[in-house]
Amino acid sequence: MRFFTCLTGDHNLWLVGLAAALCLIGSIITFRLFRRLRAAEKGARPAWTFMGAIATGATIWCTHFVAMIAYEPGTAIRYEPMLTGLSLGVAMLGSGLALWVASRAMRGAAELGGVLFGLTVTAMHYTGMAGFATDAVIHWSTAYVGASVAGAVVFGGLAFHLARRPGKLGPVVLMVLGIVALHFTGMAAMTVIPLAPLTDASVGDSANVALAFAVAAVGLMILGAGVATYVLDLQFRIQAKARLEHLLEGSVDGMVVAQDGVVLSANAAFADLVGVDHGALVGEPLSRWIADAAHLRTGALTQSRIAGPAGAEIPVEIAVRRDGGHAVESDIMIYAVRDLRTRLAQERRIAHLARNDSLTGLPNRSSFLEWLTRQTADPVPSGKVALLAMDMDRFKEVNDVHGHAAGDQLLIQVAERMRATLRPGEFVARLGGDEFVAVVPVQHREDALDLAERLRDAVTAPVVLDHAEVSCGLSVGIAVWPDDADNASALINDADLAMYRAKASLSVDICFYEEEMDEAVRVRRRMAQQMREALDQGQFSLNWQIQAAVDTGAVTGYEVLLRWIQPDGTFVSPADFIPLAEENGLILPIGEWVLRTACAEAAAWPVPHKIAVNLSPVQLGHVDLPRLVHQVLIETGLSPSRLELEITETAMITDMERTTHVLRQLKLLGVSIAMDDFGTGYSSLSTLRAFPFDKIKLDRSFMSELDGGPESAAIIRAVLALGESLHIPVLAEGVETLDQLSFLRDQGCDEVQGYLLGRPQKTAEAEVQPAARVLWNPDRVTAAA
């Protein structure tokens, strides 16, 4: 009752209302500044602490001073200026300290700050009361003083405790209650006994009211400065938030801004990712979608899972950044959430493509080698592993007739059939094109036939394409580890050899590897490899065989002959390696080397004899041959009239139109064209009619059979007559005896070439051998003998 009596009887209620209004406004501003202080960056915290100290101190002091002016003890009252000013300083300094402590990230910091705030209100009040001067006797109640201090401390602690929570009204009410309780309980603790009566109360009341409003105006100006600062900062923060939201919405990744684990803002990408309406995200705990959000490491990329629509887990990559970089409990955290479903799907697809064929889905070469290596490295229960090398027959016909799209459809269906025929432990893969392999553990060699026959039946069954029904065969070669090879590489080679034997056979399509039968293929492969090395290491060389006129014996030119002598001195016959070079395409670089080297050597001769260079059908079919010949002639400086290119009838027949076009281009360069091995082809006369050759070379087989009967002599006479009729010189190859040379001279042959004139040499001979010169110089017969 003393508290209420003091409030209603001893105070001017209008001024009390003014004090209460100041206290309410100041409390609202105080806690707004306090929340801004807690969220401020480290560098801005002193400024916000200062503003909070000014606003809070002004709130406490103005409330106290206006309430003191409202106090009417019935005697004149004066206020000591020094102590009154000191009370304002105590209010501001204490408030600043309380706000700074309460904003720390320590446990219980808010409550400690509230206690300091209550003590600050107490110190300010009783410092101000010490400056209270009047002509009266003052008695103090210790109980009321203690109650005022307890009320200020309790309400202050509760106010700052609630200030760290989302609510806004509770802290303001508690702060007002703390200040009011302190002041009016403290005033109730004081009993004033006047010593002299108040003479003119009306004048005192008017002065007090004027003073109260002046104090309130000053207080409001101080609070207004705090409000203006807060408003300007709030406007800046709103603009920054708008920019942040613009940046968030511009990101393709999900972006979330959270404070104290609560979502402040999120973009549409994150809302779509979690399947929640964009507006429903704000204010919700982030842990609802990111369970481990509180444990994510700042500045690091973390792969995690978030809760998606209907409880589905979505793999994501989360990057966390602390806004402002200050370490307080109310940090604003920015989460960048990237959906990994597409990337993981692509990674799975890439991993699948790395190990599987992109067209058929079967394992590819890499998977096959890994599987075979594992099978042959680790002991298997059966002790043997069979490797099946398979190649489809007539597949090229499907591509040529129906197109490559149809060929792809065929491969897809064949692969599905192969996969369907497999049993546990069996493996099939596609190496490329129409080549397949299979691996199966076996107990005996013959056990592999079961898988081979099943795969053959799957492949050879008719396949219905879009517009046709096609059927292909299957050639299978089987090699068994460790019977046929002791390592995976040799096993693959053996199965491949057996497959080529099956492909070449007309009666069987499944062949086991047999070392004796497959040795020829192995030798050819080894020779092909050695040929590549010979070209790189310069093991090839050129020999020159002389050509002479029949009537005079004068040297007319030289034919270039390719020789291959291996480092161990072994001579490899051109009849062995030239066909192999044509098969694997090495004839192109070898032929270019022969042409370039021969032209370079001939260009350095003192006598400008003609040189003859053989062209392979493979070279002749190459569209760049005229350009190559022209380039070589320019580089070596050899006159085009000295170069004679020899071709066979077989090369002409393969593609008459294209070959004729290429030969005409060569003729335009000034190069001579000779038909080699004339008489051994299929359509010699039609070939001569198709292109105007500069020379005909009669095949050496006619010379070797000249003594065997009249047929060869008759054919030679016919060829020579044909050449004379067409005005094409004829050169006879393989002349080895004087009788052959004499016969040719009698029949009007133009030129000859053979061992009788001279064997091939590394350098061009100046003249023919003595054994042949006796025909043109009878006086030297005895010497030659």
Side-chain angles (χ1 to χ4, degrees):
M1 292 304 296
R2 173 61 187 158
F3 176 86
F4 289 107
T5 300
C6 176
L7 175 62
T8 58
D10 299 340
H11 285 80
N12 184 330
L13 294 181
W14 290 102
L15 295 180
V16 169
L18 177 62
L22 289 173
C23 184
L24 179 62
I25 295 172
S27 298
I28 294 173
I29 296 173
T30 294
F31 281 110
R32 289 187 177 273
L33 292 175
F34 173 65
R35 288 193 174 94
R36 183 64 186 91
L37 170 63
R38 292 182 65 236
E41 292 79 4
K42 186 176 295 185
R45 286 170 58 81
W48 285 108
T49 302
F50 174 77
M51 291 303 303
I54 296 297
T56 306
T59 297
I60 300 171
W61 186 81
C62 287
T63 301
H64 162 76
F65 202 76
V66 171
M68 286 296 299
I69 294 174
Y71 182 59
E72 298 175 346
T75 183
I77 301 175
R78 300 183 306 279
Y79 298 96
E80 177 65 32
M82 294 295 296
L83 291 177
T84 302
L86 179 61
S87 67
L88 177 60
V90 169
M92 291 184 177
L93 290 176
S95 297
L97 178 62
L99 291 172
W100 183 82
V101 171
S103 66
R104 306 303 295 169
M106 301 179 298
R107 184 179 181 85
E111 292 76 10
L112 179 60
V115 171
L116 289 175
F117 173 76
L119 294 176
T120 297
V121 175
T122 301
M124 182 279 307
H125 176 80
Y126 288 106
T127 301
M129 290 303 297
F132 179 82
T134 183
D135 294 332
V137 177
I138 301 175
H139 293 282
W140 292 91
S141 171
T142 305
Y144 275 93
V145 171
S148 66
V149 175
V153 170
V154 171
F155 284 119
L158 291 175
F160 278 84
H161 173 73
L162 292 181
R164 306 191 75 159
R165 296 185 179 182
K168 298 180 179 180
L169 184 61
V172 173
V173 173
L174 290 173
M175 182 177 179
V176 171
L177 289 176
I179 295 174
V180 170
L182 182 283
H183 178 83
F184 291 104
T185 305
M187 296 304 294
M190 182 177 65
T191 303
V192 178
I193 304 174
L195 297 176
L198 184 63
T199 58
D200 191 355
S202 61
V203 175
D205 289 343
S206 299
N208 288 341
V209 170
L211 180 60
F213 277 97
V215 170
V218 172
L220 288 176
M221 289 178 61
I222 297 174
L223 291 177
V227 171
T229 303
Y230 178 80
V231 169
L232 290 174
D233 179 71
L234 181 62
Q235 186 178 22
F236 174 77
R237 292 173 67 191
I238 291 174
Q239 293 175 351
K241 183 178 180 182
R243 288 195 297 269
L244 177 60
E245 290 179 351
H246 178 72
L247 291 175
L248 292 181
E249 292 300 332
S251 174
V252 296
D253 295 330
M255 301 292 292
V256 183
V257 180
Q259 184 176 23
D260 297 331
V262 178
V263 177
L264 297 180
S265 180
N267 64 355
F270 183 78
D272 295 339
L273 185 63
V274 299
V276 177
D277 184 69
H278 186 254
L281 290 170
V282 179
E284 293 292 325
L286 184 59
S287 58
R288 174 180 170 184
W289 297 284
I290 306 176
D292 55 348
H295 303 93
L296 295 176
R297 195 154 51 96
T298 305
L301 285 175
T302 305
Q303 289 195 1
S304 181
R305 291 183 175 272
I306 66 172
E313 288 192 344
I314 301 174
V316 294
E317 188 177 61
I318 304 176
V320 185
R321 183 172 66 85
R322 190 186 306 277
D323 183 29
H326 52 286
V328 296
E329 186 180 347
S330 60
D331 284 341
I332 295 179
M333 310 299 291
I334 301 175
Y335 298 83
V337 183
R338 176 168 297 173
D339 188 355
L340 294 182
R341 288 176 294 185
T342 302
R343 192 177 82 182
L344 293 177
Q346 291 175 344
E347 290 177 353
R348 288 192 296 269
R349 184 174 181 273
I350 292 172
H352 177 79
L353 291 177
R355 301 181 57 83
N356 295 83
D357 177 52
S358 59
L359 178 64
T360 63
L362 289 176
N364 59 9
R365 183 183 296 273
S366 177
S367 297
F368 157 67
L369 292 176
E370 181 181 340
W371 180 274
L372 182 62
T373 302
R374 187 166 58 248
Q375 291 290 311
T376 55
D378 301 332
V380 294
S382 63
K384 297 180 185 295
V385 175
L387 171 61
L388 284 65
M390 300 171 286
D391 190 85
M392 294 175 62
D393 303 326
R394 303 184 301 278
F395 177 72
K396 186 176 183 301
E397 298 177 9
V398 176
N399 278 336
D400 294 342
V401 176
H402 301 285
H404 289 279
D408 290 345
Q409 293 181 23
L410 175 61
L411 289 173
I412 292 172
Q413 294 195 38
V414 165
E416 289 296 331
R417 291 179 179 180
M418 285 185 172
R419 188 184 289 110
T421 62
L422 295 181
R423 295 173 182 171
E426 298 175 345
F427 176 89
V428 68
R430 180 188 178 218
L431 301 186
D434 59 345
E435 298 181 30
F436 297 85
V437 290
V439 182
V440 56
V442 295
Q443 294 182 351
H444 307 285
R445 294 175 63 89
E446 292 73 16
D447 295 344
L449 285 173
D450 176 57
L451 176 59
E453 291 171 352
R454 282 188 276 121
L455 292 174
R456 180 190 60 189
D457 295 341
V459 173
T460 56
V463 175
V464 179
L465 302 179
D466 293 338
H467 305 290
E469 181 179 277
V470 299
S471 177
C472 292
L474 188 68
S475 297
V476 183
I478 305 175
V480 179
W481 176 88
D483 296 350
D484 300 324
D486 57 359
N487 61 78
S489 178
L491 187 67
I492 295 172
N493 186 58
D494 293 344
D496 203 35
L497 291 173
M499 184 270 292
Y500 278 108
R501 183 155 48 84
K503 203 169 187 65
S505 174
L506 298 177
S507 58
V508 295
D509 51 13
I510 300 176
C511 290
F512 280 91
Y513 171 74
E514 297 178 15
E515 184 174 0
E516 297 79 7
M517 299 184 66
D518 294 320
E519 185 61 28
V521 179
R522 191 186 302 275
V523 171
R524 289 174 63 84
R525 289 187 175 183
R526 189 182 302 114
M527 181 179 291
Q529 179 61 34
Q530 293 173 346
M531 202 183 313
R532 292 185 178 90
E533 297 173 357
L535 185 61
D536 295 336
Q537 299 171 8
Q539 297 178 15
F540 290 112
S541 62
L542 298 182
N543 280 8
W544 303 90
Q545 188 169 31
I546 194 168
Q547 297 173 340
V550 175
D551 54 352
T552 64
V555 176
T556 58
Y558 296 88
E559 180 178 6
V560 180
L561 301 177
L562 180 62
R563 294 293 181 260
W564 178 16
I565 300 178
Q566 295 180 326
D568 60 357
T570 305
F571 175 80
V572 184
S573 172
D576 294 332
F577 71 82
I578 291 296
L580 182 59
E582 291 178 338
E583 289 180 9
N584 56 32
L586 280 175
I587 195 63
L588 292 177
I590 292 175
E592 180 179 347
W593 178 86
V594 170
L595 179 64
R596 195 180 300 276
T597 306
C599 291
E601 288 190 26
W605 291 347
V607 180
H609 289 303
K610 181 175 283 191
I611 63 171
V613 180
N614 288 278
L615 288 182
S616 165
V618 178
Q619 291 176 275
L620 192 60
H622 206 275
V623 294
D624 282 343
L625 179 61
R627 183 195 59 80
L628 173 64
V629 173
H630 184 239
Q631 179 182 359
V632 169
L633 291 174
I634 292 175
E635 291 178 359
T636 60
L638 184 71
S639 173
S641 61
R642 295 180 57 193
L643 178 61
E644 181 177 87
L645 299 177
E646 299 181 358
I647 66 170
T648 62
E649 293 179 85
T650 305
M652 291 284 294
I653 297 171
T654 303
D655 191 339
M656 180 70 73
E657 183 177 355
R658 184 176 64 177
T659 304
T660 303
H661 176 69
V662 172
L663 292 178
R664 292 188 187 280
Q665 288 181 303
L666 293 172
K667 288 274 286 186
L668 289 175
L669 296 175
V671 175
S672 302
I673 307 297
M675 176 178 285
D676 196 14
D677 301 335
F678 185 80
T680 59
Y682 299 99
S683 56
S684 302
L685 298 180
S686 62
T687 304
L688 290 176
R689 184 180 61 183
F691 183 80
F693 287 91
D694 298 296
K695 184 182 291 185
I696 296 174
K697 297 191 70 173
L698 188 62
D699 188 69
R700 68 180 64 248
S701 62
F702 295 107
M703 291 294 102
S704 62
E705 297 175 359
L706 185 60
D707 298 332
E711 292 83 3
S712 295
I715 293 175
I716 294 173
R717 292 189 188 97
V719 173
L720 294 175
L722 178 63
E724 183 179 2
S725 300
L726 297 176
H727 304 289
I728 301 176
V730 179
L731 183 147
E733 297 181 300
V735 178
E736 299 182 358
T737 66
L738 284 174
D739 292 337
Q740 293 173 349
L741 181 58
S742 178
F743 172 81
L744 292 172
R745 187 177 67 173
D746 294 341
Q747 299 302 321
C749 184
D750 299 288
E751 296 179 56
V752 290
Q753 173 183 338
Y755 288 169
L756 179 65
L757 279 70
R759 290 184 174 272
Q761 301 292 331
K762 290 187 176 180
T763 57
E765 296 289 342
E767 57 183 14
V768 298
Q769 295 295 316
R773 289 202 300 271
V774 299
L775 186 64
W776 296 291
N777 189 1
D779 295 336
R780 301 182 62 183
V781 172
T782 304

